[in-house]
Amino acid sequence: MSVRKGLTSLVGVSLLLAVLAHFNTSLGVAPYLLVLATSVLFWVIQATSWNILSGYAGYFSFGQAAYVGIGAYAVAVLTGRHGVSYPVSIVVGGLLGALLALITGAIAFRLGSLRGEIFALLTLAVPFILAAFVRINRDIDGGLGTTLPLPAFPDWIGDFQHLIFLLMLAAATLAVGTALAVQRSRLGRGLSAIHDNEDAAEVLGVPTFRYKMIAIVLSGALGGLGGALLAVRNGAVQPELVFTLTVPLFVIVMAVLGGRRHWAGPVVGAAFVTVLQDELAAQKLDQWGNIILGGVLVVFVVAAPDGLFGRLRARPWLTVGVFVPVLAGLVLSGQYTELDALLYAMVAAIVVAVVVDRLRPVAASHPVPSRTTAAGTPPAVRTAPPPLSAPQPDSGRDLVAVAGLIRDFGGVRALDDVSLSVGQGEIVGLVGPNGSGKTTLVNLLSGALPPSAGTIAIDGRATVGLAPHKVAHTGVARTYQIPKPFASMTVLDNVAMAVMFGRTGASLPAARRAAADHLATVRLEHLAGQLPAALNLHQRQLLEMARAIAAEPVVLLLDEALAGLNPAEIDDAVAVIRRIHEGGISIIIVEHLLRVLNQLATRIVVLDRGVLIADGEPATVLNDPAVVRAYLGRQRA
Amino acid sequence: MTAVQAALSGALIGGLYALMAAGLSVTWGTLRVINLAHFGLILVGAYLSYQLTSAWGIDPMLTLLVSAPALFVVGAGLQWAYDRFNIVEFNSLLVSFGLLMIIIEVSTQVWTADFRHIDAGANPYGTSALHLGPIALPVSRLVALGFALLLMGGGHLVLERTFAGRGLRAFAQDRTVAASFGIDHRRLGLVVGGLAGVSAAVAGMVFALGNTIAPAHAYEWFGTVFAVVILGGIGNLLGSLFAGLGVGAFSAVVAVLWDPSYEPFVLFLAIILALVLRPQGLFTRRAAA
């Protein structure tokens, strides 16, 4: 389904809902249902807002209440105390939410070593600060909260309940539409890669900082807008009611329950949880509400971490087949209200979906591969790109030029004044004992770490100080010693990511076609539709290589790409490396197996305790007494 | 003088923050479980002390004889469940958030949302103070500091000096390698979870000595205690102790010199600043990579 088609259906559904709501009395729908529906829509906005950052990119926020609060207070202060018109104050509410998100993100995501848990706790602090700020500045809300005037609106809308329903519906449509568009866009693919493995995403060229900032600002704007509408609905604002931990609890439960990686997940979750809460209140069981919600959260994280929506979608007929008869049966029996019937039918469908999935876990858990294989190309037809005539080493043009490189970790000097150049068509073997600085050098070349001193130029462009994704765009690609695939994407899409975010960039369909070629180069085409979890170590290493060459680098850094492989696999991997080299890519390979390097490398560079001690022809270097000493230790007389 | 008085008595409250942070910090640092339910255990510890003191009229400190073993079992049970379902880091944050909700709601059902406090007659520590010249130090807070020094100093020594402590630190760094060297993480985990429960019992008891108790308190502790854990360095008990004292003194001075309502504002701004400048914690040495 294309983005446009999805958005069209979304708007259609919203218009239908709006018409239904407008004629609710003539249709015999209880006015009370309109109030409940407005509530559901408010939570759809909040859960969707939360999901755009926390679900797609995996940065969990406990700070949703901050957006709700700042939006609500924008309306309370501007309209309630200064008489500004509602449309203006509501828009300002959304803008302030975006601004708050911008500040939070600028602080949080600038921290290089920020871990997800720290982000979660940092966001936890934001609502506390805002609530304290409101309490300090009594003149913001007059000390006891602010009441709001009833908005003026044209008669054809109906009464106030209709107005607020329509406003919430419009905002929810905007929120869900945004989430849908983001999910289907480059941004969404990038956020998904950040969720799976942020380091790998960045070195493949995903501008992770910018993407996270866009996501958090969208999230803040939608959250603030929803908060502003909440103030209009409630007609009063108090710090205790908007800056409460119930807000993050609700949105997290809704998104986890519904599913975090699809736009529809939070919608399903918000509808279910809100109706459930309402039902509990109606049964005078509201004190059990939070206990049940807490329990649902625990059970779902343990039993169905991918959420309900995925389960329901994997078996749509079963879901509909349970939901519709149960709903019809309960309504026709006449013993239940429509709402009760709806709730019980939802519970029945959910229970069946979860239980069936528990019984047959394998069948439904990977709905993706079959679809992608169908969309991808038949593997057998395509062959590797025609090998170019093996390029001859040409040291006239330096693809990598490193001078005076120093890197300190605390008091330890991992690299000491290393200078090195790699020319077109070379395969340079980088060897040295453990701890000699090989991986540090790879990290500096790929931009993952900044040097303490010295210069690096890739293909003539200085890279020191560039973000890793910019370094990647100068023409460096790397593999990791421990493969870091994107776990939620198929093998084909892992490679397609690298094409999409590589130097030339491409749309997803074009990227998938190119990815199939790269998979053929490493002979993994038969596994294109699998998830990385199904691959063995050797295949994952090959996937790392396919992903790296898909970025169309001029120089490829292979960090111990042969570690842990058996002899047959090593021969296979060596053949792949040769093919990559014949495709015109220069290679720097970190490797301990000197036998392999002896065959493969055109040159060998030796590091010992951070110092470059030899650089030259394999045969010469490997017989150099200093090198032998570094490897085997000084011979004691 | 008021500032000195405030700083000192604030630092003593900081002893309580440190006690609350201890269990959280250790399970996060060694077992990679961010156990929000710990706040619920502290709450239950406080209520148990209140309940037993009211029912039997015993010294509040003696209630630890019941509440500490009880919460040891609960803490170990929680850790067993986290381990059984392989719940760490993010998921532990979510799961324990759900558990915390449940504990708080159940506490509300049992003890109502009203403020409870230990009857003055049964609480010899509640109102008395130690006078050093012009400075008055409430006894209940001295108790908090005493327990904090005892538990966290002791815990630090155990982690640094004993085989089990080294095993735990090894486990924290690399589970697989530690396991292959014969470290039984399950048993160690149960003990650590249980001891975290004991620290919650102590923190709850100390809280009940000097404060009224209500379920909503569990949320109010959130911010400050996490600040202490992060500033102290995750898993670093001595760091948490210093961070607790510092945070307590800092908030109290702000409250006295400025306005009590500024306290959370300034405190959280300070935390964010600290996170930006030293995300690894104030009291951790920068590890050489």
Side-chain angles (χ1 to χ4, degrees):
Chain A
M1 186 164 56
S2 73
V3 176
R4 180 171 302 189
K5 215 167 129 194
L7 289 178
T8 315
S9 344
L10 181 68
V11 171
V13 169
S14 300
L15 286 177
L16 184 69
L17 284 176
V19 171
L20 282 179
H22 186 70
F23 295 106
N24 70 324
T25 33
S26 24
L27 286 171
V29 178
Y32 157 78
L33 280 182
L34 197 61
V35 177
L36 178 64
T38 311
S39 235
V40 170
L41 289 172
F42 169 73
W43 288 110
V44 166
I45 299 169
Q46 294 307 332
T48 303
S49 147
W50 182 88
N51 203 48
I52 289 177
L53 177 71
S54 303
Y56 290 174
Y59 274 90
F60 267 52
S61 157
F62 280 99
Q64 190 66 28
Y67 304 140
V68 175
I70 206 167
Y73 266 95
V75 171
V77 172
L78 289 178
T79 304
R81 297 181 67 81
H82 298 290
V84 177
S85 76
Y86 271 114
V88 174
S89 65
I90 290 171
V91 169
V92 170
L95 291 178
L96 283 181
L99 181 68
L100 178 69
L102 189 73
I103 296 170
T104 312
I107 295 174
F109 297 139
R110 275 289 173 212
L111 298 177
S113 58
L114 181 90
R115 292 189 299 169
E117 311 93 81
I118 303 283
F119 176 79
L121 297 174
L122 201 70
T123 54
L124 186 65
V126 178
F128 280 98
I129 294 179
L130 292 179
F133 183 76
V134 171
R135 290 202 191 91
I136 292 166
N137 295 286
R138 288 291 174 185
D139 45 330
I140 286 186
D141 69 348
L144 289 168
T146 309
T147 49
L148 291 163
L150 207 62
F153 53 90
D155 282 340
W156 60 264
I157 287 181
D159 55 20
F160 177 70
Q161 279 311 329
H162 287 100
L163 172 76
I164 194 67
F165 175 83
L166 288 181
L167 287 175
M168 283 288 184
L169 182 65
T173 309
L174 179 67
V176 175
T178 307
L180 189 153
V182 167
Q183 190 193 335
R184 300 274 162 74
S185 68
R186 272 175 85 78
L187 175 62
R189 307 292 302 182
L191 291 174
S192 198
I194 290 171
H195 184 295
D196 283 356
N197 197 316
E198 188 163 352
D199 288 344
E202 175 77 30
V203 301
L204 283 182
V206 179
T208 55
F209 176 73
R210 184 160 23 112
Y211 276 18
K212 286 185 292 185
M213 287 303 287
I214 296 173
I216 196 173
V217 167
L218 286 176
S219 169
L222 293 171
L225 180 65
L229 293 179
L230 181 74
V232 180
R233 188 194 74 170
N234 291 358
V237 179
Q238 285 170 307
E240 296 75 27
L241 290 180
V242 288
F243 292 112
T244 151
L245 278 171
T246 322
V247 175
L249 171 73
F250 269 45
V251 294
I252 291 173
V253 173
M254 288 163 179
V256 168
L257 182 76
R260 283 166 271 168
R261 305 196 68 160
H262 192 281
W263 60 269
V267 177
V268 172
F272 178 68
V273 170
T274 316
V275 173
L276 179 71
Q277 279 288 89
D278 184 77
E279 180 68 17
L280 289 171
Q283 305 282 345
K284 300 270 182 286
L285 289 172
D286 29 354
Q287 75 269 32
W288 291 96
N290 283 349
I291 297 183
I292 293 175
L293 277 190
V296 164
L297 183 59
V298 172
V299 169
F300 263 82
V301 171
V302 174
D306 48 343
L308 264 183
F309 182 74
R311 299 284 168 101
L312 298 179
R313 196 170 62 158
R315 299 172 175 279
W317 295 117
L318 182 72
T319 307
V320 175
V322 173
F323 181 77
V324 171
V326 173
L327 181 65
L330 291 176
V331 169
L332 291 179
S333 76
Q335 308 214 352
Y336 300 88
T337 66
E338 297 95 328
L339 193 62
D340 290 353
L342 187 67
L343 182 72
Y344 296 143
M346 274 159 79
V347 171
I350 287 169
V351 168
V352 170
V354 171
V355 169
V356 168
D357 214 71
R358 290 304 277 178
L359 296 178
R360 293 167 60 189
V362 190
S365 55
H366 305 314
V368 193
S370 54
R371 200 181 41 152
T372 3
T373 321
T377 44
V381 180
R382 284 187 184 264
T383 50
L388 310 173
S389 54
Q392 289 307 304
D394 165 22
S395 43
R397 181 169 164 233
D398 283 345
L399 293 182
V400 178
V402 168
L405 208 56
I406 292 175
R407 170 70 203 197
D408 297 324
F409 292 105
V412 181
R413 179 152 289 189
L415 281 181
D416 191 0
D417 196 17
V418 169
S419 297
L420 173 70
S421 64
V422 176
Q424 177 79 50
E426 287 196 280
I427 299 184
V428 176
L430 187 57
V431 301
N434 285 325
S436 60
K438 304 181 299 287
T439 295
T440 304
L441 183 56
V442 169
N443 282 333
L444 293 180
L445 289 175
S446 67
L449 289 174
S452 306
T455 59
I456 303 171
I458 305 294
D459 205 7
R461 287 178 58 193
T463 64
V464 173
L466 293 184
H469 71 270
K470 295 250 174 68
V471 176
H473 289 163
T474 64
V476 188
R478 71 168 293 180
T479 64
Y480 289 95
Q481 182 177 355
I482 298 164
K484 295 184 175 181
F486 301 123
S488 72
M489 303 178 196
T490 60
V491 166
L492 183 74
D493 279 6
N494 261 278
V495 181
M497 281 298 298
V499 182
M500 274 178 90
F501 290 96
R503 291 211 284 170
T504 41
S507 67
L508 183 61
R512 282 195 175 133
R513 282 193 296 277
D517 288 341
H518 294 300
L519 278 181
T521 307
V522 301
R523 304 279 191 264
L524 273 188
E525 59 270 44
H526 57 293
L527 295 171
Q530 297 289 322
L531 289 179
L535 271 57
N536 66 26
L537 175 67
H538 176 43
Q539 292 162 335
R540 287 182 195 206
Q541 293 281 20
L542 292 176
L543 173 59
E544 282 279 309
M545 288 187 209
R547 212 166 57 166
I549 56 172
E552 297 184 25
V554 293
V555 56
L556 172 62
L557 312 174
L558 296 174
D559 192 1
E560 307 214 6
L562 311 181
L565 304 185
N566 68 33
E569 291 170 340
I570 287 176
D571 290 343
D572 190 35
V574 165
V576 168
I577 294 171
R578 280 196 198 286
R579 266 202 302 282
I580 293 173
H581 180 236
E582 282 159 9
I585 297 172
S586 301
I587 294 173
I588 297 179
I589 174 169
V590 175
E591 190 42 65
H592 282 295
L593 291 171
L594 298 181
R595 171 183 72 83
V596 173
L597 285 187
N598 218 349
Q599 310 164 14
L600 197 60
T602 57
R603 215 172 98 207
I604 286 187
V605 172
V606 187
L607 286 176
D608 183 31
R609 277 165 287 178
V611 181
L612 193 153
I613 58 170
D615 179 353
E617 294 276 314
T620 331
V621 167
L622 294 180
N623 291 321
D624 183 330
V627 174
V628 174
R629 209 163 40 238
Y631 255 93
L632 301 177
R634 197 181 302 273
Q635 207 162 28
R636 290 181 191 280
Chain B
M1 204 64 230
T2 45
V4 176
Q5 162 79 47
L8 271 179
S9 75
L12 293 183
I13 305 181
L16 177 59
Y17 296 150
L19 267 180
M20 291 179 170
L24 203 61
S25 182
V26 167
T27 49
W28 189 354
T30 60
L31 306 173
R32 301 202 344 251
V33 168
I34 310 170
N35 188 12
L36 295 183
H38 191 70
F39 293 99
L41 298 192
I42 298 173
L43 187 72
V44 171
Y47 273 124
L48 281 179
S49 288
Y50 156 78
Q51 190 72 48
L52 297 178
T53 313
S54 310
W56 300 341
I58 53 171
D59 187 300
M61 280 205 213
L62 290 180
T63 61
L64 282 181
L65 291 177
V66 177
S67 65
L71 289 183
F72 181 93
V73 173
V74 175
L78 273 179
Q79 179 53 38
W80 177 85
Y82 289 142
D83 193 58
R84 165 70 183 72
F85 295 105
N86 194 23
I87 300 168
V88 289
E89 288 172 351
F90 264 150
N91 283 350
S92 72
L93 207 54
L94 291 177
V95 168
S96 62
F97 194 32
L99 292 175
L100 176 65
M101 293 301 293
I102 295 174
I103 296 175
I104 287 176
E105 290 300 321
V106 170
S107 303
T108 313
Q109 310 264 321
V110 177
W111 286 289
T112 76
D114 296 340
F115 288 93
R116 303 280 175 153
H117 64 94
I118 301 182
D119 195 42
N123 184 0
Y125 316 98
T127 47
S128 52
L130 191 69
H131 291 275
L132 292 175
I135 294 173
L137 302 174
V139 170
S140 64
R141 293 180 186 176
L142 284 172
V143 172
L145 183 66
F147 270 110
L149 289 174
L150 195 73
L151 282 186
M152 300 174 80
H156 178 77
L157 285 182
V158 168
L159 277 179
E160 291 289 322
R161 300 282 163 80
T162 65
F163 177 79
R166 292 207 187 98
L168 265 177
R169 286 188 294 136
F171 177 63
Q173 291 190 356
D174 193 318
R175 306 194 142 200
T176 332
V177 173
S180 65
F181 277 89
I183 292 166
D184 181 354
H185 77 275
R186 288 226 160 75
R187 220 170 52 200
L188 275 177
L190 290 188
V191 174
V192 170
L195 290 177
V198 170
S199 80
V202 174
M205 186 277 292
V206 171
F207 182 80
L209 283 186
N211 303 274
T212 55
I213 317 162
H217 277 130
Y219 295 133
E220 289 161 21
W221 298 327
F222 251 67
T224 318
V225 171
F226 268 117
V228 170
V229 171
I230 293 168
L231 292 178
I234 294 156
N236 180 347
L237 277 177
L238 226 45
S240 297
L241 181 59
F242 291 134
L245 301 183
V247 163
F250 181 72
S251 328
V253 170
V254 168
V256 166
L257 294 186
W258 215 343
D259 187 298
S261 53
Y262 279 61
E263 191 188 312
F265 188 62
V266 175
L267 178 64
F268 284 113
L269 283 185
I271 292 162
I272 289 182
L273 208 64
L275 272 179
V276 172
L277 298 178
R278 278 187 74 88
Q280 74 277 33
L282 291 181
F283 299 96
T284 15
R285 277 156 295 176
R286 192 184 279 271

